[in-house]
Amino acid sequence: MIRVLFFGPVAERVGARELSVPFVAGMRLQELIDLLSANHPSALDIVSFIAVNQAQVNDRQFPLNDGDEIAFMAKFSGG
Amino acid sequence: MIRVLFFGPVAERVGARELSVPFVAGMRLQELIDLLSANHPSALDIVSFIAVNQAQVNDRQFPLNDGDEIAFMAKFSGG
Amino acid sequence: MNEPVRIQQEDFSQDAEIAALKASSLRIGGIATFLGCARDFSEGRDVSEISFEAYGSMALAEMNTLRSEAIANFKLIDARIVHRVTTVRAGDNIVFIATAAEHRAAAFDACRWIIDELKQRVPIWKKEITPEGDAWVTPHP
Amino acid sequence: MNEPVRIQQEDFSQDAEIAALKASSLRIGGIATFLGCARDFSEGRDVSEISFEAYGSMALAEMNTLRSEAIANFKLIDARIVHRVTTVRAGDNIVFIATAAEHRAAAFDACRWIIDELKQRVPIWKKEITPEGDAWVTPHP
């Protein structure tokens, strides 16, 4: 499984803090983006950063592994 | 009388923290400088600022008044 | 001794943070700090409370990276970063950064750099709770 | 409440200074501080103690002027300046400046400006006491 995490404004729009998505061999980040885009378009609108296992990833073709933790995040507003 | 004050390195070279100098009508700052220069030349060497009644004065022709407090000061090194 | 980089609910003491910083060296000549506080007013609206949420594990890792980069790039002796994640009211402490260096220029430069970078790089979000409703804060570009 | 500008022998608490600063307004978004400490080493020499002397009345007046100028020029909400005049050892506090503003840039700019100006304008002198003897510090140009 892939653990998909949401925080703050994104979590509010998704209506959940976490989703579990079945892992499929050869899966890339783009497939998760497509899934979120189809089911929660208003949440995707405010996603500015994506992290895979707590490191920011910009390449949408980034290959995923079973057990990965993927976070879809709005612009940070801490401090 | 004029109160002449010394602090820190200047006081050390003068060997005193305070001198009283008789006030003479028409006295200007230059006369005090000449006095210090004659009696304590090594102290005058390190004087960078002069204050009359706690305000810096650069004009050596500044007229003095009886009861004035004049400070001869080395470069500041606080903070 | 507390960790030099922390995310916590509870408030912190600047005296305690500075004492911890000083314990690391007798070569410290200057310590710059920045304390971010909750204001009662933001962009024209009254704010009753501010609520914070973090991606805790990633936020802590980023803050530790920020501290290490600041120490290396500004030749600091030490640095500390604390961010509260809880609900605060006007006047409450939110974030604290302290940078210790031999001389003050490096301490100031590093402290400012850390808070600027923290706002850009650390996954924390704030929601302002106002009499007219709640709103997640969208940072300016 | 303590005065916001002071020259004193005794040490100070940053928590107490910050609490006093915060008491003035709920609009404060950022507080920058600078803490100057005694180092055990200066320009190649070990330093055992540092002894301070001030032209007290003029120093206090200049520090009050600095505070007022900083508040006006940087649009601060409030500011505090404390300088110890006594003999200190390595690690001891010497000077503390805190500047409170709505936003952090003004707080940082003002804090740095005050310590830079204080060193130029406030009649205080320091003497370093080293194993090889005492020496009044001559500031660099």
Side-chain angles (χ1 to χ4, degrees):
Chain A
M1 299 293 276
I2 302 275
R3 251 183 108 197
V4 185
L5 304 183
F6 310 108
F7 302 94
V10 178
E12 200 167 274
R13 292 185 180 204
V14 172
R17 308 197 147 268
E18 184 168 343
L19 296 178
S20 287
V21 175
F23 174 73
V24 180
M27 203 171 179
R28 290 172 186 275
L29 183 55
Q30 184 66 51
E31 292 165 52
L32 269 187
I33 295 171
D34 293 343
L35 189 76
L36 190 68
S37 182
N39 297 328
H40 306 284
S42 77
L44 198 74
D45 282 352
I46 58 167
V47 167
S48 289
F49 305 108
I50 301 173
V52 177
N53 299 327
Q54 296 155 39
Q56 270 193 51
V57 168
N58 294 312
D59 174 10
R60 291 176 167 229
Q61 296 311 314
F62 193 87
L64 303 183
N65 292 302
D66 198 11
D68 276 354
E69 176 179 299
I70 322 288
F72 287 87
M73 302 179 284
K75 267 194 190 156
F76 310 144
S77 57
Chain B
M1 298 293 274
I2 302 273
R3 250 184 107 195
V4 185
L5 304 183
F6 309 108
F7 301 93
V10 178
E12 201 167 272
R13 292 185 181 205
V14 172
R17 308 196 147 270
E18 185 168 342
L19 296 178
S20 286
V21 175
F23 175 72
V24 180
M27 202 171 179
R28 291 173 184 276
L29 183 55
Q30 184 66 51
E31 292 164 53
L32 270 187
I33 295 171
D34 293 343
L35 189 75
L36 190 67
S37 184
N39 296 330
H40 306 285
S42 76
L44 198 74
D45 282 351
I46 59 166
V47 168
S48 289
F49 306 109
I50 300 172
V52 177
N53 300 326
Q54 295 154 42
Q56 270 193 50
V57 168
N58 293 312
D59 175 11
R60 291 177 167 227
Q61 296 310 314
F62 193 87
L64 302 184
N65 292 300
D66 199 11
D68 276 354
E69 176 180 299
I70 321 290
F72 287 88
M73 301 179 285
K75 267 194 189 156
F76 311 144
S77 56
Chain C
M1 186 68 63
N2 277 330
E3 289 295 316
V5 174
R6 306 193 308 279
I7 292 175
Q8 62 188 41
Q9 284 204 310
E10 64 270 23
D11 199 6
F12 43 80
S13 153
Q14 281 151 109
D15 284 337
E17 299 298 327
I18 296 296
L21 204 54
K22 280 186 172 184
S24 65
S25 169
L26 290 176
R27 291 275 156 100
I28 296 171
I31 297 174
T33 79
F34 176 75
L35 176 67
C37 313
R39 303 168 62 215
D40 66 354
F41 194 78
S42 171
E43 313 201 343
R45 293 172 307 136
D46 288 325
V47 175
S48 318
E49 291 184 326
I50 303 177
S51 171
F52 286 88
E53 186 176 330
Y55 182 5
S57 54
M58 183 175 168
L60 196 63
E62 281 288 335
M63 285 161 62
N64 271 299
T65 301
L66 277 181
R67 173 174 174 268
S68 301
E69 288 181 12
I71 289 173
N73 295 343
F74 297 93
K75 300 197 185 357
L76 299 180
I77 293 169
D78 203 353
R80 301 177 76 82
I81 310 175
V82 184
H83 201 302
R84 293 179 72 192
V85 170
T86 182
T87 298
V88 299
R89 296 177 156 272
D92 286 351
N93 294 330
I94 295 169
V95 61
F96 179 73
I97 293 162
T99 50
E102 292 201 16
H103 300 289
R104 69 188 185 281
F108 274 120
D109 288 344
C111 191
R112 193 163 192 159
W113 181 84
I114 292 174
I115 182 65
D116 287 350
E117 289 289 308
L118 182 147
K119 285 173 177 271
Q120 298 287 326
R121 289 166 52 178
V122 177
I124 298 178
W125 298 270
K126 66 158 89 60
K127 181 164 64 175
E128 290 177 346
I129 296 154
T130 79
E132 294 80 38
D134 304 354
W136 289 100
V137 172
T138 306
H140 299 288
Chain D
M1 186 69 64
N2 277 331
E3 289 295 318
V5 174
R6 307 193 307 279
I7 292 175
Q8 62 189 38
Q9 285 205 309
E10 64 270 23
D11 200 5
F12 43 79
S13 153
Q14 280 151 110
D15 284 337
E17 299 299 327
I18 296 296
L21 203 55
K22 280 186 171 185
S24 65
S25 169
L26 290 176
R27 291 276 155 101
I28 296 171
I31 296 175
T33 79
F34 177 74
L35 176 66
C37 313
R39 302 167 64 214
D40 65 353
F41 195 77
S42 171
E43 312 202 341
R45 292 173 306 136
D46 288 326
V47 175
S48 319
E49 292 185 324
I50 303 177
S51 170
F52 287 89
E53 185 176 331
Y55 181 6
S57 54
M58 182 176 170
L60 196 63
E62 281 288 335
M63 285 161 62
N64 271 298
T65 301
L66 276 181
R67 173 174 175 268
S68 301
E69 288 182 11
I71 289 173
N73 295 344
F74 296 92
K75 299 196 184 3
L76 298 181
I77 293 170
D78 203 353
R80 301 177 76 85
I81 310 175
V82 184
H83 201 302
R84 294 179 72 192
V85 170
T86 182
T87 298
V88 299
R89 296 178 156 271
D92 287 350
N93 295 330
I94 294 169
V95 61
F96 179 73
I97 294 162
T99 51
E102 292 201 17
H103 300 289
R104 67 187 187 282
F108 274 120
D109 289 343
C111 191
R112 196 164 189 158
W113 181 83
I114 292 174
I115 182 64
D116 287 349
E117 289 290 307
L118 182 147
K119 285 173 177 272
Q120 297 288 326
R121 289 165 52 178
V122 176
I124 299 177
W125 299 268
K126 65 158 87 61
K127 181 164 65 174
E128 290 176 347
I129 295 155
T130 78
E132 294 81 39
D134 303 355
W136 289 99
V137 172
T138 306
H140 299 288

